[in-house]
Amino acid sequence: MDATALLLSRAQFAFTISFHIIFPAFTIGLAAWLTVLEALHLASGRPAYRVVFEFWLKIFGVAFGLGVVSGIVMAFEFGTNWSELSKMSGPIQGPLLSYETFTAFTLEASFFGVLIFGRSRVRPWFYLFSTAMVALGTTFSAFWIMVNNSWMQVPVGYTMEHGIAVPNDWTAIVFSPVVWVRFPHMLLAAYLSGAFCIAATGAWYFLRSKFLVEARIMLRMGLFLAAVLAPTQLFLGHLTGDYVHDDQPAKFAAIEGRWHDEQPAGEVLLALPDPAAEANDYEIKIPILGSLIGSMSFTSKEVGLTDFPPQDRPPVLVPFFTFRIMVGCGLAMLGLAWLGSYLSLKHRLERNRFLLWLIFLSFPLPFIATLTGWWTAEVGRQPWTVYGLMRTADAMTPFLTARAATISLVVFCSVYAFIFAFGIFYIYRLLRAGPSGHLALPSTAAVPNRPMSVVDERPTLGLSHPLAGE
């Protein structure tokens, strides 16, 4: 086994999956929001909902394509860089990836064309149904990926036959308690990503004094959704920590920065872990809170990293800091969503330029939280690829050379940077152009005796909705 090839292969997969996860995290939430917009348009008849829908549908289409292309590459990496993993876990992971194709890709491929080309060709109810099916397809995709990854985190429902994991209980695999904690956690992360991107876009338009009717819809709906989802996400994060505490104690100790057994255990808020000294420098710690978080007890004993052999410990620095970055982003999103929603209900948000700037600049927060949460889970699982069954060093393709791994890493990074830079730039151009005018509302001459909006030059047709703030 070539240690350099192993390091480069890990770096390549980390790069590709980190790049890929940004797009599903955005499109899953956006697809659900498009369904809500279409339903509101049918229920209220308000043209602004249609304008906002058509605007975000174009962005969804670009981001969806980038997500599909970047995800396909990872399937090849299982064969080129991680063939031993594919050999050992193929009877389980292969069917799970096939289920994603049969459910998620089938729905998305069948109904996405209707969204793009079918507005004038199908009945309104069927167009809404197609939008919901695309959203359901993106959700199925997340579900099967999380089932797959959760099996690697906590393997269940299998027997080992000649070094190969053979499934003997698909119910245990699909309905593992770990799946039904991690999948909602990932799904809400995607919804929060969409919500904050939408709210940030609305804030940006307000700061530029453009598209103000549509901007109000984006800003309020994004903030209200985030205000509900953010505390729920924090609760699901705690439940995710419970499974790590019970099933991956070494990862939990690394996240907590706990080197030695403690009873009761304190909670390290900030520190600089020193793996060589097996201690923390500059530690800020709250007594007893670690036992309360870990075991819901004021007196429980919590294990430290020194309980595990050095070769079985994860790298401490990455999960320790990424976990705190994730939590910090979550708390910042919660504060912004609650404050923004409160001021919006008081009709004071649009005049508060400082908060609008904060909301606009907040759009990276959910992506940072998603990435750092994913790194916490994956790096914290080391040195295992399949926890307790296969080490990462044993999962790599035999005889893979450092030269081959270097070439593939450079090619992957170059192609991704070249192609997807243009994709991101095109999304930026769409956002900068704003909602197109082909669905613009009629002029005041065509609609007499209708009041003009106080914040937009276009009339509102007398249609009001609490989400739009009119």
Side-chain angles (χ1 to χ4, degrees):
M1 187 271 293
D2 189 327
T4 303
L6 175 63
L7 178 63
L8 293 172
S9 295
R10 290 181 61 190
Q12 178 177 305
F13 197 81
F15 170 79
T16 51
I17 197 169
S18 296
F19 195 97
H20 167 70
I21 200 174
I22 292 172
F23 297 102
F26 177 55
T27 55
I28 291 170
L30 188 55
W33 189 62
L34 288 173
T35 305
V36 173
L37 280 176
E38 183 64 15
L40 287 173
H41 174 249
L42 288 180
S44 68
R46 184 160 186 243
Y49 291 128
R50 171 83 180 274
V51 174
V52 176
F53 178 96
E54 298 293 343
F55 167 64
W56 282 100
L57 179 61
K58 293 182 288 186
I59 297 171
F60 173 81
V62 176
F64 180 79
L66 293 173
V68 170
V69 172
S70 60
I72 290 175
V73 172
M74 291 187 294
F76 293 101
E77 290 184 73
F78 281 112
T80 57
N81 296 70
W82 306 103
S83 61
E84 289 299 302
L85 170 64
S86 300
K87 178 182 176 181
M88 188 278 285
S89 63
I92 293 176
Q93 293 189 293
L96 291 175
L97 294 175
S98 298
Y99 299 155
E100 181 191 11
T101 302
F102 294 149
T103 56
F105 290 170
T106 299
L107 287 173
E108 293 163 353
S110 299
F111 292 99
F112 186 62
V114 178
L115 265 63
I116 300 297
F117 304 110
R119 170 73 79 175
S120 61
R121 294 176 173 85
V122 299
R123 293 182 179 275
W125 69 265
F126 188 78
Y127 193 85
L128 173 61
F129 175 76
S130 300
T131 309
M133 289 301 99
V134 171
L136 182 62
T138 61
T139 303
F140 272 138
S141 181
F143 172 73
W144 291 116
I145 292 300
M146 292 310 297
V147 172
N148 198 330
N149 186 264
S150 295
W151 184 84
M152 297 172 69
Q153 297 283 349
V154 183
V156 293
Y158 71 97
T159 59
M160 295 300 295
E161 297 182 6
H162 309 293
I164 297 175
V166 178
N168 63 3
D169 188 350
W170 280 109
T171 301
I173 295 172
V174 176
F175 296 100
S176 165
V178 175
V179 172
W180 292 98
V181 168
R182 299 183 75 234
F183 167 60
H185 191 51
M186 183 64 214
L187 192 63
L188 261 63
Y191 288 169
L192 281 169
S193 298
F196 267 89
C197 285
I198 292 162
T201 303
W204 187 38
Y205 291 149
F206 265 112
L207 291 167
R208 299 170 64 205
S209 299
K210 292 186 176 181
F211 317 111
L212 298 179
V213 171
E214 294 85 358
R216 184 180 290 108
I217 294 175
M218 298 178 202
L219 185 60
R220 288 200 162 192
M221 290 185 72
L223 287 176
F224 289 164
L225 179 62
V228 174
L229 294 182
T232 308
Q233 180 71 325
L234 292 175
F235 173 72
L236 288 172
H238 174 72
L239 296 182
T240 302
D242 286 344
Y243 104 77
V244 175
H245 176 271
D246 296 337
D247 297 309
Q248 297 178 328
K251 179 197 289 188
F252 193 86
I255 291 172
E256 294 294 299
R258 184 178 299 118
W259 293 97
H260 306 283
D261 293 357
E262 295 183 32
Q263 186 176 11
E267 177 68 15
V268 178
L269 298 182
L270 289 173
L272 181 60
D274 184 351
E278 296 183 343
N280 295 328
D281 297 326
Y282 315 108
E283 185 178 80
I284 301 175
K285 190 173 186 178
I286 300 178
I288 303 176
L289 185 59
S291 291
L292 186 61
I293 292 175
S295 303
M296 296 304 294
S297 167
F298 291 102
T299 59
S300 65
K301 179 181 179 180
E302 303 297 330
V303 300
L305 279 166
T306 54
D307 283 11
F308 306 93
Q311 66 271 19
D312 291 340
R313 301 176 194 171
V316 177
L317 291 174
V318 173
F320 180 83
F321 284 112
T322 55
F323 175 79
R324 280 150 183 79
I325 294 172
M326 176 188 66
V327 173
C329 289
L331 294 175
M333 288 188 285
L334 177 65
L336 279 175
W338 280 6
L339 179 59
S341 297
Y342 171 77
L343 292 180
S344 182
L345 290 173
K346 296 292 184 179
H347 302 286
R348 292 159 48 192
L349 176 60
E350 291 85 353
R351 299 190 299 271
N352 192 324
R353 290 186 64 84
F354 177 72
L355 186 57
L356 288 175
W357 272 108
L358 288 181
I359 294 170
F360 165 60
L361 296 173
S362 71
F363 76 90
L365 289 178
F367 297 108
I368 295 172
T370 299
L371 285 172
T372 51
W374 196 255
W375 295 340
T376 301
E378 297 302 295
V379 177
R381 188 180 62 205
Q382 298 302 316
W384 305 98
T385 296
V386 181
Y387 196 81
L389 288 183
M390 172 173 275
R391 291 179 178 269
T392 303
D394 299 327
M396 191 182 73
T397 299
F399 311 115
L400 179 66
T401 63
R403 179 176 180 274
T406 301
I407 292 173
S408 63
L409 176 60
V410 171
V411 169
F412 273 55
C413 292
S414 301
V415 171
Y416 270 51
F418 179 77
I419 294 177
F420 292 105
F422 283 96
I424 297 299
F425 178 71
Y426 185 62
I427 291 176
Y428 166 75
R429 292 291 299 270
L430 290 173
L431 290 169
R432 187 171 182 83
S436 60
H438 74 282
L439 292 173
L441 304 180
S443 66
T444 52
V447 188
N449 302 321
R450 296 295 188 185
M452 291 290 291
S453 168
V454 296
V455 293
D456 196 303
E457 295 181 353
R458 290 175 297 170
T460 63
L461 294 182
L463 296 171
S464 62
H465 193 281
L467 291 174
E470 299 174 4

